[in-house]
Amino acid sequence: WCFDLVKQRIAEAGTAAGGGHELRRALGVGISAPQGCGKTTLVTFLQRLFASDNLHCAVCSIDDFYLTNAEQQELARSNEGNALLQLRGNAGSHDLELGARTLQRLLARERD
């Protein structure tokens, strides 16, 4: 379904742009599911499927946006009574600004 949706959006964008096949803004596809259910496997498959059709694909995960070790240690120190903030992985242990900026840049198709 995801591959078909992407292909449909590219076709619609090409029609709206007078026949071109390049989107001005990237398409974002979010996948949310419990640990161990196969999200990484699905994304790897989609990457290969898109590549086989000459579609470029960027992948990121919430795991890419953890606080730095120093920031995590400071968070743990300043919240000693909160067991959830003592280790990375729980809500509050991610750099949300970095994540938001990264997603905005990916969707805008910005390059470094």
Side-chain angles (χ1 to χ4, degrees):
W1 63 266
C2 186
F3 185 69
D4 291 338
L5 176 63
V6 169
K7 295 288 285 186
Q8 177 185 347
R9 292 295 303 270
I10 290 171
E12 290 169 1
T15 300
H21 291 285
E22 187 166 318
L23 298 174
R24 293 173 199 219
R25 183 168 171 83
L27 297 174
V29 176
I31 299 173
S32 176
Q35 285 181 309
C37 71
K39 296 180 299 292
T40 300
T41 301
L42 174 61
V43 169
T44 300
F45 172 77
L46 289 172
Q47 276 183 291
R48 291 178 182 160
L49 184 61
F50 293 151
S52 73
D53 207 37
N54 270 346
L55 297 173
H56 301 282
C57 179
V59 173
C60 62
S61 166
I62 189 72
D63 294 343
D64 297 327
F65 303 108
Y66 284 124
L67 297 173
T68 65
N69 186 46
E71 291 168 331
Q72 178 61 48
Q73 288 179 3
E74 177 56 33
L75 179 67
R77 270 192 299 278
S78 62
N79 293 279
E80 290 180 9
N82 187 336
L84 294 176
L85 296 178
Q86 301 308 303
L87 302 169
R88 71 177 199 161
N90 294 309
S93 65
H94 297 88
D95 185 336
L96 298 181
E97 288 183 34
L98 175 62
R101 277 194 322 270
T102 301
L103 290 175
Q104 288 168 351
R105 291 190 69 197
L106 285 170
L107 290 172
R109 300 175 60 139
E110 293 180 15
R111 298 175 190 255
D112 284 336

